[in-house]
Amino acid sequence: MLTPLKNRPWPLALAALLLSGSAVMAQEAPAATAKTGGFDTQLLLFWFLLSTLVLVLLVFVLVIALLVVKMKPLLRKVYELPTVHNTWSGQVLGLLIGDARLVRGEVKDELLDHDYDGIHEFDNDLPPWWKYGFYLTIVFALVYVGYYHVLQSGPLQGAEYEYEMAQAALMVSPDADDPNKLTTYQVLTTPADLSSGKTLYATNCAPCHGGAAEGKVGPNLTDEYWLHGGEVNHVYKTIKFGVTSKGMVAWKGKLSGKQILQVSSYILSLQGSKPANAKEPQGEKEAAKSVASR
């Protein structure tokens, strides 16, 4: 028969309530997992066990803290005993009652016979926390050198860099939406495609490049000079992904892939048309190619 909670010490009663709540959650976890269906059962179980462990640790720390608070007068009397006060275990006990001598060290009001321009030097050791930290760095350095350079069990910076670059390369999308991968389209030459490209150009491109592609804010598209390549796949890439640094918007998501190819093909069909008021050449010159050969 369980002891009523009201007859238990309240820290233990609190721990019992929390643990009983964890047991109830453990019983309900399979049903909840079955309802969701989309969650990984093992992952859900892992997080449940981890949260339960953290909860138990918090309860344990809380109980210890409450016991220390309750027993602080007795612990102080033990700490003040001459046989305990100056021992290492006594200093650990001092931390529990508020004496940080173990970490801070003892301050000696003893002056050395050194005198530098009126500045006197005290005979004080380095704080223990500083010395412990320094010792820890020495241990870390020895372990690091042994693990990476002597045993060669771990990868060095160069190997880690090469591995991360290889992983990054695997994450690059291989499809047509990858801006680093050039497409392999051919120029469309049918009158229907060029007519559709002309309509799309007049609606979306003419405000910046001019009605005859002579160039306004954007460059002239009828000469042999190109800023980002004049082959159909380079033009397709420029239209699809844009050049935000130069004000060229990306038409991906606004035009379909076929529409972008139609516009690209129409632009290339204007090569050598020499419209009036054409903008001066920009970019690098590329050899002229007929639409039929593209």
Side-chain angles (χ1 to χ4, degrees):
M1 181 175 180
L2 296 176
T3 305
L5 292 178
K6 64 180 181 179
N7 294 332
R8 301 181 185 179
W10 72 269
L12 297 178
L14 176 61
L17 284 174
L18 293 174
L19 292 176
S20 62
S22 301
V24 173
M25 292 177 62
Q27 295 175 356
E28 294 178 352
T33 306
K35 290 181 180 179
T36 55
F39 292 100
D40 187 351
T41 304
Q42 293 183 349
L43 182 62
L44 185 62
L45 180 60
F46 167 77
W47 284 112
F48 169 73
L49 293 177
L50 181 61
S51 60
T52 303
L53 178 61
V54 171
L55 184 61
V56 171
L57 290 177
L58 288 176
V59 172
F60 178 76
V61 172
L62 178 62
V63 171
I64 294 298
L66 292 174
L67 289 175
V68 170
V69 171
K70 294 291 184 180
M71 298 177 61
K72 191 172 183 179
L74 178 60
L75 294 177
R76 183 173 294 278
K77 290 181 181 180
V78 175
Y79 176 66
E80 292 175 353
L81 294 175
T83 56
V84 176
H85 187 75
N86 293 322
T87 62
W88 187 86
S89 58
Q91 294 179 19
V92 174
L93 180 61
L95 287 176
L96 297 176
I97 62 174
D99 187 352
R101 186 161 53 101
L102 178 64
V103 178
R104 187 185 63 244
E106 294 185 6
V107 178
K108 302 177 182 178
D109 292 332
E110 298 178 3
L111 289 174
L112 298 177
D113 56 355
H114 300 162
D115 186 355
Y116 302 98
D117 296 331
I119 301 175
H120 297 279
E121 182 181 358
F122 282 95
D123 185 16
N124 291 326
D125 291 333
L126 290 170
W129 65 265
W130 193 96
K131 291 190 290 186
Y132 297 152
F134 179 68
Y135 299 151
L136 182 62
T137 59
I138 295 176
V139 173
F140 175 81
L142 293 175
V143 173
Y144 182 89
V145 171
Y147 182 77
Y148 286 99
H149 295 278
V150 179
L151 300 177
Q152 297 183 351
S153 299
L156 298 178
Q157 288 182 335
E160 286 186 348
Y161 174 78
E162 293 177 359
Y163 174 78
E164 291 178 359
M165 293 299 294
Q167 292 298 314
L170 294 176
M171 296 174 62
V172 175
S173 174
D175 56 22
D177 286 334
D178 178 11
N180 298 314
K181 181 180 179 181
L182 202 62
T183 54
T184 56
Y185 296 131
Q186 297 294 321
V187 174
L188 302 176
T189 58
T190 63
D193 287 323
L194 293 178
S195 176
S196 297
K198 180 178 181 179
T199 302
L200 292 168
Y201 176 89
T203 304
N204 302 295
C205 310
C208 289
H209 293 280
E214 71 276 13
K216 289 184 178 180
V217 178
N220 179 4
L221 301 178
T222 64
D223 56 25
E224 300 176 347
Y225 292 83
W226 298 89
L227 291 170
H228 306 288
E231 198 271 334
V232 63
N233 291 288
H234 287 96
V235 178
Y236 180 94
K237 175 182 175 181
T238 303
I239 296 174
K240 183 173 183 178
F241 297 104
V243 186
T244 55
S245 61
K246 297 183 179 180
M248 172 67 182
V249 299
W251 291 96
K252 174 185 176 182
K254 303 173 185 176
L255 299 177
S256 66
K258 183 176 182 180
Q259 289 177 322
I260 295 176
L261 184 58
Q262 288 173 336
V263 174
S264 303
S265 301
Y266 171 73
I267 290 173
L268 293 177
S269 71
L270 300 176
Q271 291 291 287
S273 59
K274 298 180 180 180
N277 301 319
K279 195 174 182 179
E280 66 279 1
Q282 294 176 271
E284 297 182 1
K285 184 177 181 180
E286 294 191 10
K289 296 180 182 180
S290 65
V291 173
S293 66
R294 294 175 183 267

